[in-house]
Amino acid sequence: MARYDLSEVEWRLIEPLLPNKPRGVARVDDRRVINGIFYVLRTGSPWRDLPSRYGPHTTVYNRYNRWAKAGVWLRIFEALSAKSPQSLHLIDSSIIRAHQHAAGGKKGGPDHAIGRSRGGLSTKINAVVDQDGLPIRIVLSAGQASDKAAVADLIEGLPPARALVADRGYDAQAIIDLVRIRGGCAHIPTQRDRKVQRSIDPEIYRQRNLVERYFCKLKHFRRVATRFDKLARNFLAAVLLASTRLWLRAYESTT
């Protein structure tokens, strides 16, 4: 087995979540294709440089692209993350530099979550992780977008957690109220320039390092650490697949 390939345990976990194909020509070996996708995501290699053991690079890329468009990668990620007890929500974001290959979209075209921040053209990954540091919701936005603007989309539809933890960049009364309405408590430090400072539980706030460690692990996947995809849906697919791999490894470690 090659270094980046799925282990037997990982494959047994992901195989039942793949789409069925009851009619027509049989699909090329799913495991080989998915291993090829993970190879590209982990190494950052161009698709055309995919080693021959994974089959034609066009077959691997076309599967990645079609299933991104069909929402397959999102459904697999959600199926795995749905098993989280979600007793704690930790929110943060990370800016990803967009490669010149990703930044060549037509002016006036659809929004592909590429904006301009201090480092140039970039995309922001907004994420919620649980009490174990595993991701449960991921949203993309343009690099210059406010962190606060993504919060509603991040927690919408999630089971209410007893606490939501974020840094002071998320300090807004609307967010505090949203968390309270959902039955939780927001542990978000107050901006230093405010006259009235809100107290937070230091023990709970200290767990915010879990979301920072998630982003560190996520960026081991070089095709996530730098954005090469023009389409937001394809870059989101890369982030979802990298996050899915973290879930698979977490399940594998407990079996």
Side-chain angles (χ1 to χ4, degrees), residues 40-110:
V40 170
L41 296 184
R42 186 65 174 81
T43 64
S45 300
W47 293 99
R48 68 177 68 88
D49 293 342
L50 187 70
S52 59
R53 65 178 176 270
Y54 298 114
H57 73 273
T58 52
T59 299
V60 177
Y61 171 74
N62 287 339
R63 181 79 62 85
Y64 171 76
N65 183 49
R66 285 200 307 269
W67 282 10
K69 186 175 182 179
V72 172
W73 306 125
L74 175 60
R75 290 195 293 273
I76 291 173
F77 168 76
E78 288 179 338
L80 292 170
S81 62
K83 300 177 183 179
S84 169
Q86 297 189 34
S87 60
L88 184 65
H89 288 164
L90 303 111
I91 292 180
D92 206 350
S93 69
S94 184
I95 291 179
I96 303 297
R97 178 179 173 273
H99 191 272
Q100 61 182 3
H101 293 166
K106 292 182 180 179
K107 292 184 178 179

Side-chain angles (χ1 to χ4, degrees), residues 95 111-116 122-124 126 140-146:
I95 291 179
D111 177 20
H112 288 300
I114 294 181
R116 189 174 294 278
S122 58
T123 292
K124 183 175 287 186
N126 306 274
L140 299 184
S141 59
Q144 81 281 7
S146 168

